[in-house]
Amino acid sequence: MEVASQLSFKRTPGTTDEEVILNNFCLSCKLALDRVISAMHKNIYYKCPFQYEMHSDLECKIEKLRRVLLAYSCHDPDVGYCQGINRLAAVALLFMDEEDAFWCLDCIINCLHPPHYYTKSLLGSQTDQRVLKDLLQEKLPRLTQHLQMCDIDYALVTFNWFHTVFVDNMPIETMMRIWDTFLYEGSKVLFRYAIAIFKHNEEQLLALDNSISIFNHLRTMCPNALDADRITKIAFTEITHFSIRDINRKRKAHMAVVQAELEEVEKCRAQPSQNQYSMKALTSDSDEESWKEELIDLPN
């Protein structure tokens, strides 16, 4: 069954799924969905996992992906359409029909990942990057110190690993191995595989001594992760144990800090507009006083 048809909207003959949904929503929802559809169409082909399979019906699969993403944006307006979930839904559609892919996407966003992973603030995603930093410090202290000394912000690379569950630039066999364990065990395995990739590249990174070469190597670690068996062995046998309880404790501590930082950013964003209004008021008052002075000075 097509996901869009589950919403029980009235269909006018000759209309597309997008038009069916838009015609059955109030004006404010239509405006929001217009933005969703615009963003979705811009990104739907970007690094789409359908590239892994050469299908003659590629456009048909893209249409299925479009329907799943549009239906999800209606189902979960807090998320709507967030860049990155197109890759998640596309991977699901490689193995499932539209309805199952829809619910798989819902499960990934609302069950396997912590809250606010794909909302506007990306609070959950930002929090997990700080948790990863803590874990790397514990598991690979020598490498972490080296990256800090070279002033490397590896979150610029690892953020996308977590946000797309390693879909981007990862060899298909390794990516599928990660997805198998992710769907079975949850988000904890993302930390295990991330640390495993760093450990697999530890000696090469330690041999580099400038930020440009290190960052370039970081960007190639996923494409070069061809040995899925080796990466998995590192993730589950060579890295010392850590539990989901440890991760959740770290998440709780970091989320409070990130939330406070986001609130401070919002205050700073609002401040210029307040200052602008204040300046306008002062200018108006000043102009009025000048006008009065000029009026007083006029000759009789």
Side-chain angles (χ1 to χ4, degrees):
M1 182 188 298
E2 293 181 357
V3 176
S5 67
Q6 297 179 54
L7 300 177
S8 302
F9 292 149
K10 296 180 180 179
R11 177 186 289 276
T12 303
T15 57
T16 65
D17 290 310
E18 289 91 339
E19 291 169 337
V20 170
I21 295 175
L22 287 173
N23 290 337
N24 285 272
F25 270 83
C26 64
L27 179 60
S28 60
C29 289
K30 283 184 178 181
L31 294 175
L33 277 175
D34 278 338
R35 292 192 294 270
V36 168
I37 292 172
S38 175
M40 190 176 69
H41 286 182
K42 289 178 182 177
N43 295 298
I44 201 165
Y45 287 92
Y46 179 66
K47 294 185 178 179
C48 178
F50 296 148
Q51 64 183 301
Y52 291 121
E53 294 189 3
M54 299 301 294
H55 289 284
S56 58
D57 59 341
L58 177 61
E59 284 302 320
C60 177
K61 286 186 172 289
I62 292 296
E63 284 303 313
K64 289 181 179 180
L65 177 58
R66 182 177 286 113
R67 287 194 291 267
V68 170
L69 293 173
L70 184 58
Y72 191 82
S73 72
C74 300
H75 169 72
D76 190 351
D78 289 338
V79 172
Y81 176 76
C82 175
Q83 186 172 348
I85 67 173
N86 60 325
R87 272 92 97 192
L88 306 180
V91 170
L93 282 169
L94 291 175
F95 307 97
M96 307 174 187
D97 61 21
E98 289 176 62
E99 183 176 359
D100 287 341
F102 171 86
W103 290 115
C104 179
L105 179 62
D106 181 72
C107 180
I108 290 172
I109 293 174
N110 294 307
C111 300
L112 298 180
H113 276 309
H116 309 294
Y117 225 77
Y118 298 96
T119 55
K120 184 179 179 181
S121 67
L122 300 175
L123 175 61
S125 297
Q126 294 188 60
T127 298
D128 269 4
Q129 291 308 300
R130 302 197 182 193
V131 175
L132 176 61
K133 184 177 180 180
D134 285 353
L135 292 173
L136 279 171
Q137 177 66 55
E138 295 172 8
K139 309 302 180 183
L140 303 173
R142 191 162 62 108
L143 177 59
T144 303
Q145 183 180 12
H146 178 66
L147 295 176
Q148 289 174 347
M149 289 177 61
C150 295
D151 196 26
I152 299 295
D153 183 8
Y154 46 82
L156 295 172
V157 175
T158 58
F159 182 90
N160 211 41
W161 295 359
F162 282 62
H163 205 61
T164 65
V165 192
F166 289 92
V167 169
D168 285 355
N169 300 319
M170 182 68 79
I172 181 65
E173 183 180 352
T174 309
M175 186 197 80
M176 289 293 98
R177 191 74 61 86
I178 294 172
W179 271 69
D180 281 344
T181 52
F182 169 70
L183 293 175
Y184 184 72
E185 294 191 29
S187 61
K188 179 181 75 171
V189 303
L190 300 182
F191 295 98
R192 284 201 165 275
Y193 275 104
I195 297 170
I197 291 170
F198 274 100
K199 185 174 179 61
H200 190 58
N201 290 268
E202 184 174 17
E203 295 305 320
Q204 296 97 311
L205 288 168
L206 288 172
L208 301 173
D209 58 1
N210 68 82
S211 58
I212 295 177
S213 59
I214 291 175
F215 190 75
N216 286 336
H217 187 84
L218 290 175
R219 294 175 62 186
T220 64
M221 290 196 305
C222 277
N224 291 332
L226 298 170
D227 191 343
D229 290 336
R230 176 61 183 148
I231 297 295
T232 301
K233 183 178 180 181
I234 295 173
F236 289 94
T237 65
E238 297 184 17
I239 296 174
T240 55
H241 174 75
F242 58 89
S243 67
I244 189 62
R245 185 181 302 173
D246 297 330
I247 292 173
N248 287 336
R249 185 174 63 251
K250 294 177 187 298
R251 278 173 170 163
K252 184 177 180 180
H254 284 298
M255 184 170 286
V257 176
V258 175
Q259 181 67 58
E261 291 175 355
L262 290 173
E263 291 174 357
E264 189 63 30
V265 168
E266 287 301 317
K267 289 180 183 178
C268 292
R269 285 177 178 170
Q271 196 65 36
S273 59
Q274 294 176 359
N275 292 339
Q276 186 178 4
Y277 293 136
S278 300
M279 288 299 295
K280 285 183 178 180
L282 289 172
T283 303
S284 299
D285 293 342
S286 177
D287 291 344
E288 183 178 357
E289 291 299 324
S290 300
W291 177 81
K292 289 179 180 179
E293 291 175 2
E294 291 174 3
L295 185 61
I296 292 172
D297 292 339
L298 286 175
N300 294 328

